Amino acid sequence: MLTLFKKIYAYVKYILICVKQNICSSVSNKTSFAFQTLMMALNNCTWLIIWLVLFNKNDGNINGIVLKDILYLWSIPTISYGLSYFCFGGTEYLAQNIAQGNLDLYLTQPKYSLIGLITSRCKLSAMGDVVYGLVIGLFATNFVILDYLFLLLISIIATITITSIVILVYLTAFWFGDTTNLGTTYINSLLINLTIYPEKVYGSFVKFLIYTIVPAFYCAHLPIKVCTQFSIPTLLFFIGITIFLATTAVLVYNIGLKRYESGNGFNLK
């Protein structure tokens, strides 16, 4: 057991080092970084403004949905999505790297190649999501420090959930070639879009989708429930789902490697 924890600690430390290096290189142009962060945050604000207008016209209640529901919806998922793409921006290029035979560079490294792949890039604009979500989270928790810290913890767990799902989507490249465009459409048009509305607005069919084929429930609605309707079973279920998805991503990657065909390029990192 001690050996397992040492190994986990070593990988976490490695991930943090990779993320730190990506951040340092990405923010070298501070003006570009600040501009992209601001633009993304402002883009998110438009949605909140729309909801505020709707609540104002409906006396603060829309079919059982109140402002606090929206604040949580635009804090936890936004933070976790932003952290996922800011820290693990390499996931967007996973399918492309697989299809083009670019894994050789990472397979020759001493650390687990999947970690090297997903931490190879950093998406600057995603920090706008993180900043926006952090600010909205303060209002969602009414500035109660313990509630806010718990919200941050749940957001970090949700980051692993989202990252695992995105990895699984792009790992389809092992079987179907470069699925970058298909994967991006799935994530942006389905997964993300189904997380920006409260679960209450969805009918039976859409709820079936967000529980199964497009698992938006586990990215947004479940972590929100953990915070707003806290119970030990719900928290354990959320953690269990996250571990299951992360483990599945690793297993599918390992299986996919058996089908991988090396490229002809020669690169150093």
Side-chain angles (χ1 to χ4, degrees):
M1 183 64 73
L2 183 60
T3 304
L4 176 62
F5 280 114
K6 284 184 177 179
K7 185 175 290 188
I8 293 173
Y9 173 76
Y11 274 115
V12 170
K13 186 177 179 180
Y14 174 64
I15 290 172
L16 292 176
I17 291 172
C18 291
V19 171
K20 181 182 178 181
Q21 289 178 339
N22 282 334
I23 292 173
C24 289
S25 60
S26 297
V27 301
S28 56
N29 187 337
K30 294 181 174 59
T31 302
S32 175
F33 175 70
F35 179 75
Q36 290 188 50
T37 299
L38 179 61
M39 288 300 100
M40 182 60 74
L42 290 176
N43 178 65
N44 291 336
C45 283
T46 59
W47 284 96
L48 186 58
I49 292 172
I50 291 172
W51 278 106
L52 289 173
V53 171
L54 290 173
F55 280 122
N56 185 55
K57 290 184 176 181
N58 292 274
D59 299 320
N61 191 307
I62 305 173
N63 295 327
I65 300 170
V66 296
L67 180 58
K68 187 175 182 179
D69 297 327
I70 302 303
L71 292 177
Y72 268 101
L73 191 66
W74 281 95
S75 56
I76 295 176
T78 308
I79 293 171
S80 54
Y81 174 82
L83 282 176
S84 177
Y85 275 85
F86 187 74
C87 297
F88 308 111
T91 53
E92 281 193 306
Y93 302 88
L94 192 54
Q96 180 182 323
N97 284 325
I98 292 170
Q100 296 179 358
N102 295 332
L103 300 194
D104 302 25
L105 172 64
Y106 303 95
L107 291 172
T108 55
Q109 294 178 10
K111 295 295 184 181
Y112 188 49
S113 56
L114 180 58
I115 294 177
L117 279 162
I118 65 176
T119 57
S120 62
R121 293 174 184 263
C122 174
K123 188 173 182 179
L124 281 181
S125 60
M127 182 50 65
D129 287 321
V130 177
V131 173
Y132 177 82
L134 290 173
V135 173
I136 298 301
L138 287 170
F139 292 96
T141 56
N142 294 317
F143 292 84
V144 178
I145 298 301
L146 288 179
D147 289 348
Y148 186 67
L149 291 176
F150 186 63
L151 180 146
L152 295 181
L153 175 62
I154 296 302
S155 297
I156 292 172
I157 299 174
T159 300
I160 301 173
T161 308
I162 290 177
T163 304
S164 300
I165 292 172
V166 174
I167 289 172
L168 284 168
V169 170
Y170 288 122
L171 286 182
T172 53
F174 278 122
W175 290 269
F176 304 108
D178 191 349
T179 54
T180 300
N181 291 335
L182 181 62
T184 302
T185 300
Y186 171 89
I187 293 165
N188 294 334
S189 299
L190 291 175
L191 184 65
I192 301 302
N193 280 342
L194 288 173
T195 64
I196 62 177
Y197 297 102
E199 185 189 1
K200 296 176 183 178
V201 307
Y202 298 129
S204 300
F205 176 70
V206 177
K207 283 186 178 180
F208 170 77
L209 289 180
I210 66 175
Y211 296 150
T212 54
I213 302 172
V214 189
F217 174 76
Y218 309 106
C219 300
H221 308 114
L222 179 58
I224 289 171
K225 279 189 176 182
V226 173
C227 284
T228 58
Q229 305 171 30
F230 178 77
S231 69
I232 297 298
T234 306
L235 175 61
L236 293 177
F237 177 66
F238 177 46
I239 294 173
I241 284 292
T242 301
I243 293 174
F244 170 76
L245 289 170
T247 303
T248 302
V250 171
L251 290 175
V252 172
Y253 176 73
N254 290 339
I255 293 171
L257 281 179
K258 297 177 181 179
R259 301 174 55 88
Y260 172 68
E261 295 182 4
S262 176
N264 297 320
F266 179 77
N267 296 298
L268 293 174
K269 183 177 175 66

